[in-house]
Amino acid sequence: LSSPDAPRILVNGTECSSVDVTDRGFALGDGLFETIAIRAGAPRFWQAHAERLLDGCRRLAIPAPSIDALAHELECVRAGASSGAARITVTRGPGPRGYAPPPEPVPTRVVGFYPAATAPAHKPRFSLRWCETRLALQPALAGLKHLNRLEQVLARAEWNDPTIDEGIMLATDGRVVECVMSNLFLVVDRTLVTPALDECGVSGVMRRQVREIAMRSGIDTEVRRVEPAEVERASAVFLTNALRGIVLVECIGDLQYSRHEPVVEHLMDRLETLDG
Amino acid sequence: LSSPDAPRILVNGTECSSVDVTDRGFALGDGLFETIAIRAGAPRFWQAHAERLLDGCRRLAIPAPSIDALAHELECVRAGASSGAARITVTRGPGPRGYAPPPEPVPTRVVGFYPAATAPAHKPRFSLRWCETRLALQPALAGLKHLNRLEQVLARAEWNDPTIDEGIMLATDGRVVECVMSNLFLVVDRTLVTPALDECGVSGVMRRQVREIAMRSGIDTEVRRVEPAEVERASAVFLTNALRGIVLVECIGDLQYSRHEPVVEHLMDRLETLDG
């Protein structure tokens, strides 16, 4: 842990590099996480991340952690750094063998800080591919950033080409859902369109910010089922995630998108001025 | 670890109670496991468990562990005990933040032994319920005993009643798939029927043994889509899992099944005589 680029990690508030082998996060993927941008010395959109984490705990019946404790632990691991990435993991904690949740679970909190130097170089526009791996339709888990991420692991393993930045994932029924590490937006006839996430996908904190900006700006927004052909017809496609904000898509395979789109430029400008 | 009922656990061959917090098993559920019965001082159906684990590693592109090393580690944790349960977990090992698998992963092996005294008391026939939580259709993961087990956690959390032993899970499209901790078989007109697991479900080692016994015994067997109404019409329903073998179902809710069914009795007798 002596390198300035090494992550700094607290487990249940204690500097630690390991978790109990009986932790249900390890045994069953029984938990949730948040990936948070640190910008100007503060976690960006902290309130929205905290709300999503608490909503996830409620849906999985994991006792909610103290948000104040998490904020304090994040300050500790950040140790004065002004930028980087944080990951907060909350699991149902240790338990005996078997699926039945312990009657009185003692959740595990892992708070890690990853200095900016370890992040990939910023690229203004992304090159995308279509992934073969599809997302299963599971309303009970849809929207959650839970620890069952094998679909994303398989999808991300589909390509090694470093010129490809992201992959679009369809659901098993053929609809467009999101990218491996980002949510997806289209601009179609000056209307903002993003796939509904009530049957699968991760409901991103940055996606929520962009929807709120669009609403306040009077931009028509549709959250609904999206077909692949619509992505190909869109005048612009962009991605959102907690670390990168809005990223324009340059191309999906051979299909090129224009560099300038007024709706996206407006959203990007407005997002930059938000302090959250 | 001084109690005779405490599990004994090796992590990568070393007595250890923790795993690295950056392990992809903990961060992403990126791994597999096997639950194995120890009977008469040996792991039961070891070869079939090893084959399923290796098949899972191949499908997830996790470098295969040495089966000899796992067998040796299991002998160590068993420490001469003649019966109990073992759990072997294999993950893609530690990695940096993000979904992309490390180019040269170093898998983590966890081998644990749980003495028989911690197992629930044997019950000859099980009482079942129908679960609300459904299984998503995901051919890319179907059949695998992987670490993404939130569906089972939610399903098992649906009941606290200690008189209920298991819950039947449907897929999101309404078909019958399996139970939370077991595979499911029906006897319909003297034919053995078990749900196909090519779109979801765990392909159990005991399910495979039962199918092989049925084939050798000349019992007609169908592996296909099963509807809930068919379960209710069956002359017998039974479950299979690695620890309990075959367990007859006494009732599903208010629906009672008869105590004796010649096909099931034949399968149970034949299974008992197998040394595997």
Side-chain angles (χ1 to χ4, degrees):
Chain A
L1 292 180
S2 53
S3 155
D5 289 351
R8 290 189 288 272
I9 297 172
L10 294 178
V11 177
N12 294 328
T14 302
E15 201 168 324
C16 188
S17 63
S18 62
V19 291
D20 196 287
V21 73
T22 69
D23 195 282
R24 291 171 60 96
F26 181 77
L28 304 167
D30 190 6
L32 299 154
F33 70 110
E34 293 289 326
T35 301
I36 304 169
I38 306 298
R39 208 159 101 152
R44 200 165 192 224
F45 302 124
W46 173 250
Q47 197 56 43
H49 283 290
E51 282 170 17
R52 184 175 59 173
L53 182 62
L54 293 176
D55 179 59
C57 286
R58 186 185 54 72
R59 284 178 59 189
L60 297 183
I62 293 174
S66 155
I67 297 302
D68 287 348
L70 292 175
H72 172 72
E73 288 163 10
L74 185 48
E75 278 301 285
C76 292
V77 293
R78 188 170 66 79
S82 67
S83 65
R87 174 174 162 142
I88 294 176
T89 308
V90 173
T91 78
R92 206 182 307 268
R97 212 179 50 74
Y99 296 121
E104 296 184 31
V106 181
T108 298
R109 310 184 300 280
V110 179
V111 178
F113 176 69
Y114 301 78
T118 64
H122 187 70
K123 199 175 157 185
R125 294 201 299 156
F126 270 15
S127 299
L128 268 54
R129 68 189 298 282
W130 295 97
C131 290
E132 299 289 328
T133 306
R134 298 204 173 189
L135 294 163
L137 301 174
Q138 176 49 280
L141 299 174
L144 297 178
K145 200 161 173 85
H146 55 65
L147 295 177
N148 282 198
R149 298 262 74 100
L150 274 172
E151 291 175 332
Q152 282 74 23
V153 170
L154 291 178
R156 183 59 191 81
E158 288 181 26
W159 80 94
N160 276 317
D161 179 350
T163 69
I164 304 292
D165 304 293
E166 255 283 28
I168 305 181
M169 297 188 75
L170 310 182
T172 48
D173 67 354
R175 76 177 88 175
V176 175
V177 182
E178 63 191 2
C179 288
V180 180
M181 300 155 271
S182 322
N183 288 121
L184 184 77
F185 285 83
L186 320 178
V187 181
V188 180
D189 300 330
R190 299 191 62 80
T191 295
L192 192 63
V193 179
T194 192
L197 302 178
D198 49 344
E199 295 197 73
C200 59
V202 176
S203 181
V205 161
M206 198 61 71
R207 174 177 179 271
R208 174 177 153 187
Q209 305 306 320
V210 168
R211 286 179 59 189
E212 289 177 3
I213 292 170
M215 193 176 64
R216 289 196 297 269
S217 304
I219 296 169
D220 288 338
T221 305
E222 295 175 2
V223 180
R224 59 166 169 81
R225 185 182 171 108
V226 173
E227 302 299 333
E230 219 171 348
V231 175
E232 299 184 336
R233 281 197 313 266
S235 60
V237 177
F238 66 92
L239 310 183
T240 58
N241 84 19
L243 299 185
R244 293 205 175 85
I246 292 173
V247 181
L248 259 177
V249 171
E250 179 174 12
C251 60
I252 306 175
D254 293 335
L255 185 69
Q256 300 278 328
Y257 294 91
S258 80
R259 186 176 298 267
H260 298 290
E261 211 296 327
V263 170
V264 185
E265 285 168 2
H266 172 82
L267 293 168
M268 290 177 89
D269 288 347
R270 296 286 300 126
L271 183 62
E272 270 316 296
T273 66
L274 282 187
D275 48 12
Chain B
L1 291 178
S2 54
S3 155
D5 287 349
R8 290 188 288 270
I9 296 172
L10 296 178
V11 177
N12 294 328
T14 302
E15 200 166 325
C16 188
S17 64
S18 62
V19 291
D20 197 287
V21 73
T22 69
D23 195 283
R24 292 171 60 95
F26 182 76
L28 304 168
D30 189 8
L32 299 154
F33 70 108
E34 294 289 327
T35 301
I36 305 169
I38 307 297
R39 207 158 101 153
R44 197 163 194 224
F45 301 122
W46 173 251
Q47 197 57 44
H49 283 288
E51 283 170 18
R52 184 175 61 174
L53 182 62
L54 293 176
D55 179 59
C57 287
R58 185 185 54 72
R59 285 178 60 189
L60 297 184
I62 293 174
S66 156
I67 296 302
D68 286 349
L70 292 175
H72 172 72
E73 288 162 11
L74 185 48
E75 278 300 287
C76 291
V77 293
R78 188 171 67 79
S82 66
S83 65
R87 174 173 162 144
I88 294 177
T89 307
V90 173
T91 80
R92 206 181 307 269
R97 213 179 49 75
Y99 296 122
E104 297 184 29
V106 180
T108 299
R109 310 184 300 282
V110 178
V111 178
F113 176 69
Y114 300 78
T118 64
H122 187 71
K123 200 175 157 186
R125 294 201 299 155
F126 269 14
S127 298
L128 270 53
R129 69 190 299 281
W130 295 97
C131 289
E132 298 290 329
T133 307
R134 296 202 175 191
L135 294 162
L137 301 174
Q138 176 49 281
L141 299 173
L144 297 177
K145 201 163 172 85
H146 55 65
L147 295 177
N148 283 197
R149 298 262 75 101
L150 274 172
E151 292 175 330
Q152 282 74 23
V153 170
L154 292 178
R156 184 58 191 81
E158 288 182 26
W159 80 93
N160 276 317
D161 179 350
T163 68
I164 305 292
D165 304 293
E166 255 283 26
I168 304 181
M169 298 189 73
L170 310 182
T172 49
D173 68 354
R175 75 177 87 175
V176 176
V177 182
E178 62 191 4
C179 287
V180 181
M181 301 156 273
S182 323
N183 288 121
L184 184 77
F185 285 83
L186 320 179
V187 180
V188 180
D189 300 331
R190 300 191 62 80
T191 295
L192 192 63
V193 178
T194 192
L197 302 177
D198 49 344
E199 295 197 74
C200 60
V202 175
S203 181
V205 160
M206 198 60 72
R207 174 178 179 269
R208 173 176 154 188
Q209 305 306 320
V210 168
R211 286 179 58 189
E212 290 177 4
I213 293 170
M215 194 176 63
R216 288 196 298 269
S217 304
I219 297 170
D220 288 338
T221 304
E222 294 175 3
V223 180
R224 57 164 170 80
R225 185 181 171 108
V226 172
E227 302 299 334
E230 219 169 352
V231 174
E232 299 183 338
R233 280 197 312 267
S235 60
V237 176
F238 66 91
L239 310 182
T240 60
N241 84 18
L243 298 185
R244 292 205 175 86
I246 292 173
V247 181
L248 259 178
V249 172
E250 178 174 13
C251 59
I252 306 175
D254 292 336
L255 186 69
Q256 300 279 328
Y257 293 91
S258 79
R259 187 178 296 270
H260 299 291
E261 212 294 329
V263 170
V264 185
E265 285 169 359
H266 173 81
L267 292 168
M268 291 178 88
D269 287 347
R270 296 287 298 124
L271 183 63
E272 271 315 297
T273 66
L274 282 187
D275 48 12

